[in-house]
Amino acid sequence: MWPLFALVLGLLVGSFLNVVVHRLPRGESIVFPPSRCPHCGHRLGPMDLVPVLSYLVLRGRCRYCGKPISPRYPLVEALTGGLFLLASLFYPPSLEALLVFAFLGLLVALAFIDLDTYELPDGLTYGLLFLGLLSAYLLSFPRPFAEALDGALIAAGVLGLVAGYGGLFLRRFREARAEVPVGPHQVHMAALFGALLGPGVGMALAFLTWALSARTGRPVVLPDRITLPLLPLAWILAPYLGADLLSTLKGSFLAAGGLALAGGLYWAFKPVNEVNKEGEETDPVAMGYGDVKLLGALGAWLGLYSLLALFLGVFVGALVGLAFRQRKIPFGPYLALGGVVAFFFGETLWRAYMAWLGL
């Protein structure tokens, strides 16, 4: 009965997620007005909203105007139902199972919103992050709090640096415009200071430049052309200076992740009219910071297995991009896919990999 209940619940949640995916990017309420046909605006009745079945019975067309209904709707419902069914096979009826359902539902919503808009809403990414940290703090689920926090910061730090180096190469080593009071420059500085002085000092110094930038109204930062080339040099020289390489790497990623997530939270609460200035040229970027925040959220749930999610996301995304010859693809769906696989099968995959290596 439990798997059947999970499947039905997932189908119903998937129907609600369709509303979230459609309305949230438009700034519309996800509660009112009730569901309507996007073509004719007719309010949909209960028989029109039965997950998957209504679409099949109506043969993919609106009952009232006959216009086609996007197959996206039954796809989201069936996918969510299938994921909840999968979760029920790993977790018996419990609070932990409900938390996993919430984790999966948020990932489905984020994936499909990113497909439509190339954006990952802060409300959902930080909701996923804080839910994972709260669950870890109160229940030590799905992992202890210290491991969840480290996982979130390290994952965000790794992808924040990937985005930094990618952007530097895309700009052909031209310096990017520094955000005031906080932006990627502070993330890169935190990584360098964290490698040299430890994560706590690295974060503190980067937060100090944030405060000075806010105070002066001008960016108080080191150029990316200095911090990003010096960072791998610090990693390379660490063993020769008596430092442990893994500790140096961890210090970099923790400090960078702390600045990335804190800075993203700051901009999430900044009024839109203060963030977007018309007429300003934007620097080319390799990856949006929405992906950084999403991987940080996955780190709270997966710990260091979030890096496996990143690898799987990059691998599948690269295959899709090559297959369809797309230069720009939304990365969120592939991170979400990697996150689901790593959540349920991460330990199994890691053990299989280590056995393949003979370790």
Side-chain angles (χ1 to χ4, degrees):
M1 287 299 295
W2 170 239
L4 178 60
F5 172 81
L7 173 62
V8 173
L9 177 63
L11 292 172
L12 295 173
V13 170
S15 181
F16 172 71
L17 292 180
N18 275 318
V19 177
V20 174
V21 170
H22 179 75
R23 296 186 183 183
L24 189 63
R26 295 171 172 80
E28 300 173 357
S29 169
I30 60 175
V31 179
F32 298 103
S35 297
R36 299 175 182 272
C37 171
H39 300 293
C40 65
H42 195 287
R43 179 174 176 176
L44 302 180
M47 298 306 296
D48 304 318
L49 296 172
V50 179
V52 181
L53 290 179
S54 290
Y55 182 87
L56 296 176
V57 170
L58 295 173
R59 297 181 180 180
R61 293 188 175 275
C62 174
R63 183 193 303 274
Y64 308 100
C65 67
K67 294 291 181 65
I69 302 171
S70 171
R72 165 77 64 84
Y73 294 100
L75 174 62
V76 170
E77 294 163 353
L79 176 61
T80 309
L83 289 173
F84 279 32
L85 175 61
L86 175 64
S88 71
L89 302 179
F90 286 81
Y91 298 94
S94 60
L95 177 59
E96 286 81 1
L98 295 179
L99 288 168
V100 174
F101 291 161
F103 167 73
L104 295 172
L106 286 167
L107 285 183
V108 171
L110 284 163
F112 281 92
I113 289 175
D114 199 24
L115 278 173
D116 286 341
T117 66
Y118 286 89
E119 292 182 359
L120 293 163
D122 288 321
L124 297 185
T125 52
Y126 280 106
L128 185 64
L129 170 65
F130 292 137
L131 182 62
L133 293 177
L134 183 64
S135 175
Y137 181 75
L138 296 178
L139 303 173
S140 293
F141 176 83
R143 56 200 67 254
F145 179 72
E147 187 178 340
L149 182 59
D150 278 0
L153 297 181
I154 289 173
V158 168
L159 200 54
L161 290 173
V162 170
Y165 283 109
L168 188 64
F169 283 117
L170 283 178
R171 296 190 304 270
R172 299 179 182 178
F173 297 91
R174 178 176 57 85
E175 190 65 28
R177 179 178 59 87
E179 299 283 352
V180 177
V182 62
H185 281 78
Q186 278 92 347
V187 174
H188 308 154
M189 290 168 58
L192 179 60
F193 295 151
L196 298 174
L197 304 171
V201 177
M203 274 192 271
L205 291 175
F207 275 113
L208 177 61
T209 66
W210 178 348
L212 291 174
S213 296
R215 178 70 176 175
T216 63
R218 296 180 179 181
V220 181
V221 294
L222 293 175
D224 281 345
R225 287 180 293 185
I226 293 177
T227 55
L228 290 176
L230 283 180
L231 180 58
L233 184 61
W235 295 339
I236 293 170
L237 293 178
Y240 301 99
L241 298 176
D244 178 63
L245 176 59
L246 289 180
S247 298
T248 303
L249 289 171
K250 185 178 180 181
S252 292
F253 298 145
L254 285 173
L259 260 293
L261 293 177
L265 191 61
Y266 168 83
W267 288 114
F269 285 97
K270 194 73 172 175
V272 175
N273 61 351
E274 292 186 34
V275 176
N276 299 323
K277 300 178 180 179
E278 294 184 4
E280 283 191 352
E281 293 185 4
T282 58
D283 295 304
V285 295
M287 183 176 299
Y289 256 65
D291 299 315
V292 174
K293 290 175 275 190
L294 175 55
L295 189 64
L298 288 175
W301 289 86
L302 305 174
L304 292 183
Y305 284 125
S306 56
L307 301 182
L308 173 61
L310 173 60
F311 170 79
L312 293 172
V314 170
F315 181 72
V316 176
L319 289 180
V320 172
L322 290 173
F324 292 95
R325 298 182 179 180
Q326 293 180 328
R327 297 186 61 184
K328 180 181 179 182
I329 61 173
F331 192 37
Y334 306 106
L335 276 182
L337 173 62
V340 170
V341 173
F343 184 83
F344 289 112
F345 308 107
E347 186 173 350
T348 301
L349 291 173
W350 178 251
R351 288 180 177 175
Y353 177 68
M354 296 302 288
W356 180 70
L357 293 177
L359 299 176

